[in-house]
Amino acid sequence: MSEQKKTDFHVVNHSVPRRDGRAKVTGKALYVGDVKLTGMAYARVLRSPYGHAKIVSIDASRAAARPGVIAFLTGDNLGGLNPYYGHAVKDHPLVAIEKVRYAGEPVAAVVAEDERAAFEALEFIDVRYEELKPVLTPKEALEKGAPLLHERKFEAGALRGFEGDVTAGRGTNICQEAHLRWGDVEAAFAKAAAVVEAEYYFPMAYAYAMEPYVAIAEVNENGVTIYSSAQHPFMVRHDLTTVFNLPVSQIRLIVPFVGGGYGSKSYTKIEPLVAACAWKAKRPVKLQLSVEEAMLTTRSDDALTWMRTAVDSNGKIIARQAKIYMNTGAYAENSPLVCEKATNRCVGPYAIANVQIDTYSIYTNTVPASSYRGFGCAQVTMAGESQIDELAAKIGKDPYEFRLMNVAHPSEEFFPKMRAFDGNLKQDLEIVAQAIHWKEPRSKGRGRSIGCSVSDAGAYPLTSTVVRVHADGSVSIMTGSTELGQGSHTIIPQIAAEELGVPFENVRVVASDTAITPYDRSTGASRTTTLMGRAVLEASREAIEQMARMAADVLKRAADEIEVIKGGVQCGEARLTWSEVISRYYGLPDGEVIGRAYIRKSGDFAKLPVFWETACTGVEVSVDEETGRIRMEKLATAGDVGLAINPALAEGQDIGAATMGMGIGLFEELVYEGSQLVNGSLLDYRVPRFSDLPRDVKLQLVENRDGVGPYGAKGGGEAALNSMPANIANAVYDAAGVRIRQAPLTPEKVWRALKEKKAEGRKQ
Amino acid sequence: MMPLRRFQMHQPKSVKEAAEMLAHYGEKGRLYAGGTELLLAMKHDLLRYEHLVDVKTVPGLDKIEAQNSSLRIGSVATHRSIEKSPLVKERLPVMAEMTRYIANVRVRATGTLGGNIGFAEPHSDPATLLLALGAKATLQGQTGERSLAMNEIIVGAYETALAPDEILTAIEIPLPARSQRAIYLKFQIHERPVLGLALIVDVDASGNTITKAKAVVGAVSPAPCRSDKADALLVGPKDKVEKQLTDAARALADAADPVDDLEGSAEYKRHLIGVYLRRAFTQALASPLRNP
């Protein structure tokens, strides 16, 4: 389309200040935590102390008799509900039924007049457990005779999003598996000039968001209404229709601002439990988890990846093979999709003729894993981008040059049956190399690394929206996209303002209320700018078409005589603003025009992925060889975003993602001792701080307008995370000569590697 | 963190009244002097008290004053007030500097020195430095007052020698002599330090001989720890002491007997003691003499 090449933007491609910025920093922005309904009661949750146990009996009568207690919920009193949910695999009971599968699993809930009364009643619930042997690692879970977490067979959820058959509940602890192959891997390795083979580990991590999970539910004759911190309200709605056996029109999800997600807020979390509490209590019920409880609700899949990669004598990568074991915890959640995505993303941004990837997602008696920013890409890029550096070292090539030589080219069909590559990695790499002064000599104790990744992003293209132009020329956009800090409520009106030629200030957003806003599959996989953005653009154009016809009507001219100009139409000498068109059409200074758009897997979106999400990151680190402590000295990112609707927000996504990836590289890891999570609080679980960032940060955007989103835009927000853990490992190798393949690279781990190296040096 | 269970807060007007309250409530009561540790433990449901005796409102307990050869810091002086105190900065800069890096500014604005010592959290920064400085804690109970050295008051992790009715009213810190240099260093990854190391050395007029030394390591084991053997190895001509640093660190590590925990293995902590003792020593000898 020719408009794709438009360049004289008046709102788009400008860093207009984010719409919600002032409200958020002044504490005025509304989050679920701020919402209070008339007659609202409060729930608290009793959690399992055991990793794996049979629930012999639960007696909540003493708790029920406590002052202020209204109702309680256990696995025994759910009659009338379908308690199992899951968009991928319906394996998750809203509260433990008959057995518990991880320490921290909800076993019962108490609803009371206030939060404290509910909490104080919990210890009066008498639960008798019979302990079962827990399995804590994929290795243990796959052993012959290992106890099974799930004995039942499961159906795939209706919105599972992955292609393969469901493996869960088929007599093993395998939750899901995915396999990818093309070419002839064995033959390629046999004739390779050089091969690198090793095992890599990406840790269990918690995608810390400032706002822990919170929901308020009300169940009455009109159905179920839930205020939630959920990222994908429409998908949660779907789960709720099955729990309550109600039509879609009777489940309403309302999502005000979400206080950060990073993967942790995607899909259904506490909503079925809260709704069941409200159903029992016959009152609106609020459940606000603490951060510690949120850490017992979801986490990232940790992944052990065995990988080998081969090059020919020209330094061209000819084969990659990997076997990935992901620890998905007690319930599937979104891990089957993460499993499939990790498999695809393990190939990396390289055109490789021979590929074989086998991934297994394994149930264990630990906190259920689900989405984590990057959907499996971060896990496998730790292996992939480490291995690229190892291979470069082995054949004596500069790792940056080695990447330049092997990355997929623009428009190259590097991944069979998928969309041709729509980014420019060579350009991304060059920009980052320049930013961290790759070619310049390194000071002692310092090392550099450049890494990149590619993700089949955008999830499934199913999105709709409505753009309402009012008689005064102001505009309301109805969008199902949630604002979780990424800035969607700023870029959506930017696009409509651009198309309609009206001031940005006059365009407002009505968001994420499933009873009001049209369907949007999800706000994740970096899809909003591309898909919702495109929908807003098309709905705006549809409104313009309608208003042009209305103008022809009121001016009594033929439709083809009407010319659309900025903010209105022109016909000969006559010029009408949108406000004049609408007012004259209706004969009153009121009324509106409704533009609509539906995006589906067709046309520009027929081929998946919606776009390839690509970014390149570069770091310089220094290593204190005495303590093993790593310090970040430089960080550079290049976000290959097609066109930045709002450059400042796009850069904000990149620094955020890179910081999150740095956390994994340096110190983030959930630690289990037996079946207990032992660092499940922010005192012991270390999230990145501003002071961990280097002073020298360069954020850059590559805007080749090569995406299918509005004006050639495509998504960002995840990609700058993926290569960071490997970058840190590679930079430490560059600085200190030790290769560490397990993230995080804690000071002690680095110190041990250095000690080992010294000991080997002495031996030689 | 859970909602706090119900408790009553009592605000005595005097130390005597506070002591009576503590005696009255016994195990159901606890001294409250900022709550940055206590309330956290209560919110995690690790500790339960029905009564908290808030000594932050007792008049005069937050005073910081200079005496002849010591600094007396009232037990409910906040870390922030110590960090910002011109008197502390001038007379005992190492104390102000250490305090500046305790936790974060919100904790420093609320937490108090007495609360920190009284809670005996094993990763306390002040406890380590105060032991090295030879500070004494003044305790007042229903029957009278007594004074304990830091290693007498802190007897283990979360354990003190405070009697049930006793209140820590002040910390008295001898001011270092002109010939002394005091250093506090720490290594920290998480919210609390992996290791804190304090070193006080007396240097002769030539600046080349250490006549007296005291090294204390904290956070690696249940309570801050020192070793006569280590301190002895730190005395002598600078060149000789430099060669003995490894042995001194080993002696200090043996005395501290580090534990394996989330902050690191015992082996790593033993290694860090060596690294930080050397760093502290180098800094101590490089630092200029205090103004008289």
Side-chain angles (χ1 to χ4, degrees), chain B residues 49-62:
Chain B
Y49 295 102
E50 289 171 28
H51 302 274
L52 295 187
V53 178
D54 176 11
V55 287
K56 276 186 100 171
T57 53
V58 173
L61 267 192
D62 61 348

Side-chain angles (χ1 to χ4, degrees), chain A residues 44 116-117 119-120 123 290 292 624 626-627 629 678-679 683-684 686 689 747-748 751-752 755, chain B residues 1-6 40 44-45 48 188-191 262 264-265 267-268 271-272 275 279:
Chain A
R44 293 299 302 187
R116 182 178 291 117
F119 168 61
E120 288 182 340
E123 65 182 329
S290 64
E292 291 77 10
D624 177 341
E626 284 188 320
T627 62
R629 173 168 234 166
V678 292
N679 64 341
L683 283 178
D684 298 314
R686 175 71 150 80
R689 301 172 183 152
E748 179 163 357
W751 170 70
R752 283 190 183 282
K755 200 171 112 170
Chain B
M1 267 183 270
M2 298 293 159
L4 278 168
R5 290 175 186 277
R6 265 162 258 258
L40 212 54
H44 280 98
D45 214 20
R48 288 190 194 184
Q188 189 167 343
I189 304 158
H190 298 114
E191 192 62 24
L262 287 171
S265 69
E267 186 195 0
Y268 180 55
H271 164 75
L272 287 177
V275 172
R279 288 182 183 182

Side-chain angles (χ1 to χ4, degrees), chain A residues 81-391:
Chain A
L81 299 182
N82 300 318
Y84 288 89
Y85 68 93
H87 67 284
V89 177
K90 279 188 186 304
D91 65 352
H92 205 154
L94 60 92
V95 65
I97 297 172
E98 290 167 9
K99 73 184 250 185
V100 289
R101 295 181 178 85
Y102 72 96
E105 178 166 7
V107 170
V110 169
V111 180
E113 295 293 345
D114 63 68
E115 209 176 21
R116 182 178 291 117
F119 168 61
E120 288 182 340
L122 292 179
E123 65 182 329
F124 297 93
I125 299 174
D126 301 302
V127 189
R128 278 180 52 225
Y129 295 96
E130 184 184 306
E131 274 191 82
L132 302 168
K133 186 176 177 260
V135 289
L136 301 164
T137 61
K139 190 166 175 283
E140 283 176 35
L142 292 176
E143 270 166 19
K144 226 178 170 180
L148 287 182
L149 269 86
H150 297 275
E151 298 82 0
R152 300 192 309 131
K153 273 192 177 180
F154 299 112
E155 298 306 311
L159 306 175
R160 58 186 184 152
F162 57 93
E163 312 257 312
D165 294 331
V166 172
T167 322
R170 301 290 196 270
T172 70
N173 285 318
I174 301 174
C175 171
Q176 189 63 31
E177 50 186 83
H179 306 280
L180 183 70
R181 61 200 63 193
W182 63 74
D184 184 343
V185 170
E186 289 305 332
F189 278 103
K191 66 169 193 214
V195 177
V196 169
E197 175 181 344
E199 258 183 16
Y200 305 84
Y201 182 69
F202 182 97
M204 263 184 211
Y206 172 58
Y208 169 68
M210 266 202 269
E211 176 200 45
Y213 302 104
V214 53
I216 301 168
E218 185 166 16
V219 181
N220 58 26
E221 64 283 0
N222 295 321
V224 180
T225 301
I226 302 177
Y227 293 79
S228 173
S229 56
Q231 203 169 318
H232 309 330
F234 292 89
M235 300 203 69
V236 178
R237 179 180 72 176
H238 189 95
D239 273 333
L240 268 299
T241 59
T242 65
V243 172
F244 285 89
N245 194 24
L246 283 173
V248 166
S249 59
Q250 288 183 46
I251 308 282
R252 181 179 185 186
L253 261 288
I254 302 170
V255 180
F257 287 125
V258 177
Y262 320 107
S264 71
K265 300 270 176 65
S266 58
Y267 306 97
T268 305
K269 292 290 187 289
I270 60 172
E271 296 85 359
L273 174 60
V274 186
C277 284
W279 167 74
K280 276 276 168 210
K282 299 185 171 60
R283 295 257 296 262
V285 172
K286 183 177 206 169
L287 175 60
Q288 166 83 64
L289 299 192
S290 64
V291 174
E292 291 77 10
E293 288 180 292
M295 293 173 94
L296 294 172
T297 304
T298 194
R299 62 171 174 86
S300 75
D301 284 84
D302 49 314
L304 184 66
T305 302
W306 167 83
M307 181 184 273
R308 59 174 178 160
T309 307
V311 285
D312 66 13
S313 53
N314 298 320
K316 168 92 187 131
I317 302 173
I318 53 167
R320 170 167 282 182
Q321 185 180 6
K323 206 171 234 190
I324 307 161
Y325 290 94
M326 304 190 94
N327 177 353
T328 193
Y331 296 103
E333 296 255 328
N334 198 41
S335 287
L337 183 56
V338 173
C339 173
E340 188 174 281
K341 290 291 180 191
T343 309
N344 291 344
R345 294 166 183 189
C346 193
V347 178
Y350 307 99
I352 306 176
N354 304 284
V355 166
Q356 181 175 339
I357 317 286
D358 298 285
T359 311
Y360 302 87
S361 198
I362 310 295
Y363 284 127
T364 63
N365 293 108
T366 58
V367 171
S370 190
S371 314
Y372 178 86
R373 199 175 194 167
F375 262 56
C377 192
Q379 282 91 333
V380 294
T381 304
M382 169 67 197
E385 286 297 277
S386 292
Q387 196 144 82
I388 292 293
D389 267 46
E390 289 179 68
L391 202 45

Side-chain angles (χ1 to χ4, degrees), chain A residues 513-568:
Chain A
D513 177 338
T514 62
I516 296 172
T517 54
Y519 185 89
D520 185 20
R521 181 194 175 273
S522 58
T523 304
S526 307
R527 72 197 286 284
T528 297
T529 300
T530 310
L531 293 169
M532 181 55 73
R534 182 71 180 265
V536 168
L537 178 136
E538 288 182 7
S540 301
R541 287 181 183 173
E542 206 223 0
I544 290 170
E545 275 170 34
Q546 293 180 53
M547 291 189 289
R549 282 199 300 276
M550 290 172 171
D553 186 276
V554 300
L555 294 170
K556 307 210 177 346
R557 305 293 284 266
D560 59 8
E561 290 175 69
I562 306 292
E563 190 195 342
V564 175
I565 56 169
K566 187 182 168 191

